[in-house]
């Protein structure tokens, strides 16, 4: 079994709904995003997935989020754009293109992240 990972970043503002604390107020993060793909079969070049193609697709999704107020985006209307919800959003956007996608991790600080995957 092989697994590949690409790492990207985006910056955005958000605030959490139904939360009692500092994060209920608008603030921003420089999020790190890790995207993982897994599979058993390599192509004739000996690769699972071309990093260039994967990174381009990830960047297209992150462009939807970068330098935005996430609470204003249609996908996040009525829910908190938490790291967990952001990870799910990125996963769902990419899974339609990459069947080998296994999980997406979203880091809001250097020591706190949320991961979304499906069984």
């Amino acid at each position: 079994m092989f697994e590949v990972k690409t790492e990207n970043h985006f910056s955005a503002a958000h605030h959490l709904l139904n939360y009692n604390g500092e994060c209920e107020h608008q603030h921003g993060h420089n999020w790190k995003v890790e995207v993982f793909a897994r599979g058993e079969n390599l192509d004739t070049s000996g690769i699972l997935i071309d990093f260039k193609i994967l990174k381009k697709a990830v960047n297209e999704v992150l462009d939807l989020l970068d330098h935005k107020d996430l609470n204003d985006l249609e996908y996040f209307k009525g829910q908190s754009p938490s790291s967990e919800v952001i990870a799910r959003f990125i996963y769902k956007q990419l899974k339609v293109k990459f069947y080998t996608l296994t999980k997406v991790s979203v880091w809001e600080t250097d020591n706190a992240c949320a991961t979304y995957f499906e069984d």
Side-chain angles (χ1 to χ4, degrees):
M1 183 69 70
F2 298 95
E3 183 175 64
V4 297
K5 177 185 88 165
T6 185
E7 192 175 297
N8 302 68
H9 298 86
F10 75 98
S11 300
H14 76 148
H15 66 274
L16 300 180
L17 306 177
N18 306 308
Y19 183 85
N20 186 18
E22 293 177 348
C23 294
E24 69 183 315
H25 304 290
Q26 187 177 34
H27 62 283
H29 295 284
N30 294 313
W31 275 281
K32 177 172 76 170
V33 176
E34 297 174 318
V35 174
F36 297 82
R38 182 182 291 172
E40 293 183 16
N41 301 316
L42 304 180
D43 69 12
T44 58
S45 297
I47 62 174
L48 178 66
I49 187 169
D50 189 330
F51 284 119
K52 188 171 155 180
I53 293 169
L54 181 58
K55 285 184 83 96
K56 181 177 187 265
V58 173
N59 284 330
E60 288 172 359
V61 174
L62 297 186
D63 283 347
L64 301 171
L65 308 175
D66 193 38
H67 285 84
K68 304 282 189 333
D69 181 341
L70 301 180
N71 294 80
D72 290 342
L73 299 179
E74 187 62 36
Y75 181 84
F76 301 111
K77 289 285 187 194
Q79 62 180 325
S80 287
S82 63
S83 294
E84 293 87 345
V85 173
I86 295 166
R88 181 181 61 202
F89 170 77
I90 295 168
Y91 180 95
K92 297 281 190 184
Q93 296 293 310
L94 293 172
K95 187 66 175 180
V96 296
K97 295 181 182 182
F98 301 100
Y99 71 93
T100 58
L101 187 75
T102 55
K103 63 185 174 181
V104 172
S105 295
V106 174
W107 295 78
E108 67 176 49
T109 67
D110 289 340
N111 56 7
C113 84
T115 300
Y116 182 82
F117 60 94
E118 296 179 347
D119 292 331

